[in-house]
Amino acid sequence: MSGELKNINLWVEEEAEYLLDDEDIKAEEVDYIEEYVDFSDEQGLVQYESIVIEDVPHELNFESPIWSNERPSNVDNSSSGGGRKIAQSRSGPLGLAKLAKTPSECLFLFLDPDVIATITEYTNEKIKEEQSNYTRDRDANPTDEAEILAVLGILFIAGTIGSGRQNINYLFDSKKGTGMEAVYLTMTVHRFHFVLRSLRFDDPVTAADDLEADKLAPIRAIYERIVNNFHKYYRPTRHLALDEQITFFKGVCDFRVNFPIPQNRSGFKFHLLVDCTIPYTCNMEIFLPNNHEPYNLSNAPEDVALRMTESVQGKNKIVTLGANFATLEVIKKLHEKRTMTIGEVNKSCPSIPKAFKVAKRHEDSSTLVAYHESVKLISHVSKRRGLCILMSSHDTGEDDEQTDKVEEETDSSVAPEPKLVTQYNQYKNVVKTIQQMCSMYDTSRSTRRWPLMIFFNLMNLSSINAWCIYRLNLPESNVNRRDFLVDMALEMIRPHARRRLDSKALPRTLKTRLGMFLGVAPEEYEDREVYRELVCDTIIGFSSQHMFAL
């Protein structure tokens, strides 16, 4: 992988040590491990210049009611001296996810049989409404789970070649030889369009009434089921990231958001909680303002952050916050829930002292520090990235004596970058990386139906999570994501393709190619009489050619 994927250390050796082998400890017998956390090292020693009152601006002379240059005395710093033992839950797959060994099994953890059965049921209800518009019954036959999986598999295959927004008919072209054999052998292009057009996620009979009570009603059942599976089958590591994901959509929708950047486009906004060690989405929530009760949730940053991190609160996790969540209120509330945070603050924040906002008053690679209860404010200037203002509750146990010791050992002419800044720069683009991964092999099609667009995003995130589970269960397998998606899609379409092979209406040439694609011998799908005639014709033709040669 390339680009910003380098910012995520996907499969580090430390993670392999954190996930103990079954030979050492059986996962069924131990639910947690004791991790010795040295807060003086783990939480980072921040190198900063001493703030002398007479040398700093008046704003930093702390007539400010919020920030102080002295650490609050009520903050417990005893853990910074020698560290202490805490119980850290074992990260990795949970439950049935431990047993998933094939790409399709990993995907079916999230797009589980209940999700497929629900989609099949409501799609058939929509097909019944459309049958009166067709003169032939075979043009509007009901669907089943195998065909729904085949349609989803074709969407995944289309995404692997980057044709998500192109005309799908090119993949079904069998006459010119430019199509994909796995696609046009599975079903016809007309049937694919019909099923995709009829795809529904709620009862079409009551859809209008449900929409009046809930804006997300057309896909809420599927959406909540898949999101629940995200954090049901995986326990995250210690480092997480919370930020926003954007998906573009041009159709009509009550909660569509206009994005001035880039290029005044519109679409949907999702909040994602992502593991920083591997690109696994642990939780997600769609931005849905002004919804009807009881689904009308607050979209204030502190309320969203508390909802998104509810499953990891009280477990000493470290969450890197996006720009919209890095506020003093959010950091303090999460700290009360035993969840440490790091986030970059906008310079326009009125509570920040002016000395922290002006880079000209800093020397290169210098850092200013201020405190407010359990929150630390850091203003760091570097030649590479300029001014960076961070707010964090992560390293409240910093030891000043150890900091001075490190400063003496360091060259005074080149001050090192604070470890807190280094950690933030390492994890700040995790959610953006997830968005890039979704765009790289996007399953989306051009559509004006917003429930279908949300489902496409759920498919993209589910496939990424399935790839993570597969790599964790089979660490010796170095399969890349594209090959994983291709294998997964082929496993999804094979049951429907095998059933199509038994169709008597299928042309013999197409049936032969389909048998070769599935690896099925001709005697297994041809009628005995037809197969006998085919063998006899082949033998007679060979004998005639042999006699003519003589």
Side-chain angles (χ1 to χ4, degrees):
M1 300 189 309
S2 60
E4 288 192 14
L5 288 179
K6 295 185 292 185
N7 294 329
I8 299 183
N9 197 357
L10 292 179
W11 317 106
V12 292
E13 296 180 358
E14 290 78 1
E15 182 64 13
E17 297 176 358
Y18 187 68
L19 294 172
L20 298 181
D21 295 334
D22 293 338
E23 298 179 357
D24 300 331
I25 295 179
K26 293 184 179 179
E28 294 79 2
E29 299 176 354
V30 180
D31 293 331
Y32 65 91
I33 58 176
E34 286 188 346
E35 181 182 9
Y36 188 77
V37 179
D38 189 348
F39 284 88
S40 62
D41 177 65
E42 173 67 16
Q43 296 183 356
L45 297 177
V46 179
Q47 311 297 324
Y48 59 91
E49 59 185 16
S50 300
I51 302 177
V52 183
I53 299 300
E54 55 268 21
D55 294 339
V56 298
H58 179 72
E59 292 82 6
L60 203 59
N61 237 344
F62 297 122
E63 294 181 356
S64 171
I66 299 179
W67 300 102
S68 171
N69 63 336
E70 297 181 358
R71 186 190 305 274
S73 58
N74 58 348
V75 176
D76 183 15
N77 296 326
S78 59
S79 60
S80 62
R84 60 188 177 91
K85 288 185 177 181
I86 60 174
Q88 279 290 324
S89 300
R90 183 194 309 275
S91 64
L94 297 174
L96 295 177
K98 297 179 182 179
L99 306 177
K101 302 301 181 182
T102 64
S104 60
E105 290 178 356
C106 296
L107 179 69
F108 294 157
L109 293 171
F110 313 108
L111 302 180
D112 58 19
D114 290 340
V115 172
I116 303 301
T118 302
I119 296 175
T120 304
E121 177 185 358
Y122 293 141
T123 301
N124 282 330
E125 293 293 333
K126 182 61 179 179
I127 291 177
K128 290 180 182 179
E129 295 181 358
E130 299 292 333
Q131 284 178 342
S132 59
N133 299 328
Y134 294 86
T135 56
R136 299 183 303 180
D137 294 338
R138 66 180 185 180
D139 293 335
N141 285 333
T143 185
D144 57 5
E145 286 83 356
E147 190 174 34
I148 293 296
L149 288 177
V151 171
L152 300 184
I154 292 175
L155 292 174
F156 280 120
I157 290 180
T160 58
I161 61 175
S163 64
R165 298 288 183 172
Q166 297 178 6
N167 192 344
I168 195 67
N169 294 343
Y170 295 146
L171 298 182
F172 287 89
D173 186 4
S174 60
K175 296 181 179 179
K176 297 181 180 179
T178 58
M180 293 190 67
E181 190 175 45
V183 173
Y184 63 74
L185 290 178
T186 303
M187 66 175 60
T188 63
V189 62
H190 300 289
R191 181 64 180 176
F192 175 82
H193 282 302
F194 175 77
V195 175
L196 190 61
R197 187 169 58 250
S198 303
L199 209 62
R200 292 295 183 274
F201 312 100
D202 68 329
D203 191 352
V205 178
T206 61
D209 296 335
D210 295 340
L211 192 60
E212 294 180 358
D214 179 19
K215 293 182 179 180
L216 199 63
I219 197 175
R220 179 173 289 278
I222 301 296
Y223 165 80
E224 291 182 348
R225 177 77 181 185
I226 295 176
V227 173
N228 180 66
N229 290 336
F230 283 173
H231 54 78
K232 176 181 178 182
Y233 292 113
Y234 179 77
R235 182 180 289 124
T237 58
R238 196 181 184 198
H239 293 275
L240 300 163
L242 176 62
D243 207 345
E244 297 176 351
Q245 179 207 18
I246 296 173
T247 58
F248 298 112
F249 177 69
K250 297 181 180 179
V252 178
C253 182
D254 292 341
F255 51 90
R256 189 184 66 176
V257 181
N258 294 322
F259 306 108
I261 299 176
Q263 301 176 356
N264 295 324
R265 302 181 67 178
S266 60
F268 302 115
K269 182 168 64 175
F270 297 88
H271 303 124
L272 300 186
L273 182 67
V274 181
D275 195 315
C276 292
T277 306
I278 63 174
Y280 186 97
T281 302
C282 303
N283 196 6
M284 68 177 297
E285 180 180 291
I286 189 171
F287 178 75
L288 195 66
N290 302 322
N291 198 3
H292 307 289
E293 296 293 343
Y295 304 103
N296 188 21
L297 302 177
S298 172
N299 292 303
E302 55 269 20
D303 295 329
V304 175
L306 289 175
R307 290 196 304 267
M308 292 293 296
T309 60
E310 183 178 3
S311 60
V312 299
Q313 290 174 5
K315 300 178 181 179
N316 294 307
K317 303 294 184 181
I318 304 172
V319 182
T320 302
L321 301 176
N324 294 333
F325 297 101
T327 63
L328 184 61
E329 292 78 11
V330 172
I331 294 177
K332 290 173 65 176
K333 286 187 177 181
L334 288 178
H335 186 266
E336 294 174 358
K337 303 292 184 179
R338 290 176 57 197
T339 302
M340 293 169 284
T341 53
I342 307 171
E344 185 172 2
V345 186
N346 197 313
K347 297 178 183 179
S348 61
C349 181
S351 63
I352 299 177
K354 292 184 178 179
F356 282 62
K357 303 179 183 180
V358 183
K360 295 181 179 179
R361 298 182 181 180
H362 290 254
E363 297 180 358
D364 292 337
S365 301
S366 63
T367 305
L368 296 178
V369 182
Y371 302 93
H372 172 73
E373 297 180 0
S374 60
V375 183
K376 173 182 288 187
L377 182 67
I378 297 177
S379 177
H380 178 74
V381 177
S382 63
K383 294 181 178 179
R384 182 178 177 184
R385 299 182 178 176
L387 180 64
C388 177
I389 305 176
L390 297 182
M391 194 180 295
S392 173
S393 61
H394 176 29
D395 56 342
T396 55
E398 180 188 11
D399 192 347
D400 294 336
E401 295 181 0
Q402 294 184 7
T403 301
D404 296 338
K405 182 178 179 181
V406 173
E407 286 180 352
E408 293 176 359
E409 298 176 355
T410 306
D411 185 5
S412 59
S413 60
V414 181
E417 186 177 56
K419 187 174 181 180
L420 195 65
V421 177
T422 303
Q423 180 176 320
Y424 173 75
N425 291 333
Q426 182 180 1
Y427 297 139
K428 66 179 181 180
N429 291 323
V430 170
V431 177
K432 293 181 181 179
T433 302
I434 292 289
Q435 185 163 346
Q436 287 184 351
M437 295 176 69
C438 292
S439 301
M440 185 180 300
Y441 303 125
D442 192 8
T443 61
S444 302
R445 311 300 309 175
S446 296
T447 179
R448 297 284 182 174
R449 294 168 47 204
W450 63 263
L452 192 59
M453 183 58 65
I454 293 178
F455 181 71
F456 287 149
N457 189 41
L458 292 174
M459 288 178 60
N460 291 331
L461 294 176
S462 297
S463 63
I464 297 175
N465 287 357
W467 179 58
C468 293
I469 296 294
Y470 184 81
R471 289 290 298 269
L472 289 173
N473 288 340
L474 300 173
E476 70 280 358
S477 175
N478 294 323
V479 60
N480 59 40
R481 183 165 161 249
R482 185 185 184 280
D483 293 339
F484 171 84
L485 291 175
V486 171
D487 294 340
M488 180 186 70
L490 293 178
E491 292 176 7
M492 296 173 68
I493 68 177
R494 283 184 186 278
H496 182 70
R498 182 63 181 87
R499 185 174 59 183
R500 192 186 186 199
L501 184 62
D502 297 330
S503 176
K504 296 182 180 180
L506 197 66
R508 178 176 297 179
T509 304
L510 192 61
K511 182 174 291 189
T512 302
R513 298 174 66 179
L514 184 55
M516 295 174 61
F517 167 70
L518 295 174
V520 180
E523 58 268 19
E524 297 184 20
Y525 58 85
E526 289 281 3
D527 293 338
R528 291 186 177 181
E529 296 181 359
V530 175
Y531 179 70
R532 188 180 299 111
E533 293 178 0
L534 180 62
V535 173
C536 293
D537 293 342
T538 304
I539 295 175
I540 293 173
F542 176 77
S543 301
S544 300
Q545 293 178 4
H546 184 68
M547 292 178 62
F548 180 77
L550 293 175

